[in-house]
Amino acid sequence: MNHLIRYFFLIVVFGLSACKKEENNNVTPEKDIEKFFSETGAPVQQFSFSSAANINQTTAAGNTFMISAGSFTKTDGSAISGNIDIKLRECVSKRDIILSNLTTQSGNKFLTTGGIFYLAAYQNNVALSLSNGKTINYFLNSSFGNGQMLHRYYSSSLPLENKSNDVSWTADADTQMINLLTSSSQAHYAYVMKNTGWQNAAEPVFSNSNRKKITIDTGTDYETSNTAVFVSVDGSNTICKAKSVTLGVWEVENFPLNLHATVVALAKVNDNYFFSKSSVLVSTDVSVPLVMNSITLSALKTELEQLP
C-alpha cells in the first residue's frame, strides 16, 4: 500500500513539474533590443497625491502639470478615494526620443516636435481614467520646441514603457494651436490634455516635398532582435524609424527630398553595445552601408546628444 501511495505521489509531482515547464515555454523571452530600450529610455517619474487634492507639480525637465481634485475615476466610471500615483515620462531631446523607441511620425506625415511626454494616473498600479469634462494642464518648457506653433497629437494605445511597438501619432480633433506663454524666466507651451497617456506637441513639416527611399544595410548580424535604426532630420526635431525588410536591411520610405539627415543604428548583443551613424543628403533614393562598432553605453548616449 505504501508503494502505491509513493507511486501516486511521484506521478503528481512529475505532472506538476511538466505543467510548469509548459507554462514557462509559453513565455516569450525578451529580445536584446527590448532590454536596451528598457534600460535607456526616459525614466519613469512617479508622484503620489490625494485624489481629493488639487495638484501643481514641477517635473525633472522643468515642466509643470496642474490637475484639479477629483479628476480621475476607475475605468468603469466609478468613483475613487485615497491616494493616486501620477506616472510621467518626458522626452525633450532627440536622444530621449530615440532611446525611448519613439518617433515623430503620424502615418506618412513627418512632424517636428516641441516635446513628447507620458502622463497617466494609477491606483494600486491599476490605470485610472480621466473623468468626463476634466482636462490636465501641462506646461511644456519651450526650449526644445524653439517657439514654433504646435498642435496636440496623442497615442492612446502606446504603453508607458514602449520597448517594441511602432509609433504613429494621432492628431487631436481640436485643431486649435497650442498657446505659447512667456514669463520673465521661461516660455512654456500650454498643452491641454483631454486624455491620459502619450502626448506630442508637434507640427507637420515637409508636406509639399517629393519623396524618396533610404535603404540601410547593417549586416546580417544586426537584425530586429538586437538592433533598431532611426533617421534624424538635421536641424529639425524630426525622427523616423526604419523598418526591417530583410535580414540586416532596413528602409525608410517617403522621405522628403533634399534634406540632410543622420542615419543612426544602435544594437545590444548579449551585454555588449554597438553603434553606427552616417550623414546623408536625400536628393534621390539612397543606400547607406553602416559598419557597427563596439561602444560603451555612455559614449552611445553622447553620440545621440550630438545629433544635429
Side-chain angles (χ1 to χ4, degrees), residues 37 94-101 230 239 266 304 307:
F37 289 126
K94 288 187 174 183
R95 185 196 76 169
D96 292 343
I97 294 169
I98 291 173
L99 293 181
S100 301
N101 193 30
F230 296 85
I239 303 284
L266 40 87
L304 294 179
L307 286 175

Side-chain angles (χ1 to χ4, degrees), residues 30-40 99 218 221-230 250 265-276 292-297 300:
E30 191 174 37
K31 298 176 181 178
D32 278 344
I33 194 62
E34 293 174 346
K35 294 176 184 176
F36 175 88
F37 289 126
S38 291
E39 65 190 14
T40 63
L99 293 181
T218 57
D221 288 338
Y222 301 95
E223 36 74 32
T224 54
S225 71
N226 56 34
T227 303
V229 179
F230 296 85
W250 317 73
L266 40 87
K268 180 175 183 177
V269 182
N270 298 321
D271 291 324
N272 300 307
Y273 302 96
F274 299 86
F275 180 82
S276 186
M292 301 295 287
N293 296 304
S294 179
I295 194 172
T296 65
L297 183 56
L300 187 155

Side-chain angles (χ1 to χ4, degrees), residues 14 33 46 57 76 109 119 122 137 147 150 180 205 212 217 254 264 268:
F14 283 121
I33 194 62
Q46 183 165 315
Q57 178 67 48
D76 63 4
K109 290 183 178 180
L119 190 152
Y122 293 77
N137 291 318
L150 300 172
L180 184 62
V205 286
K212 296 297 178 181
D217 188 344
N254 300 310
V264 172
K268 180 175 183 177

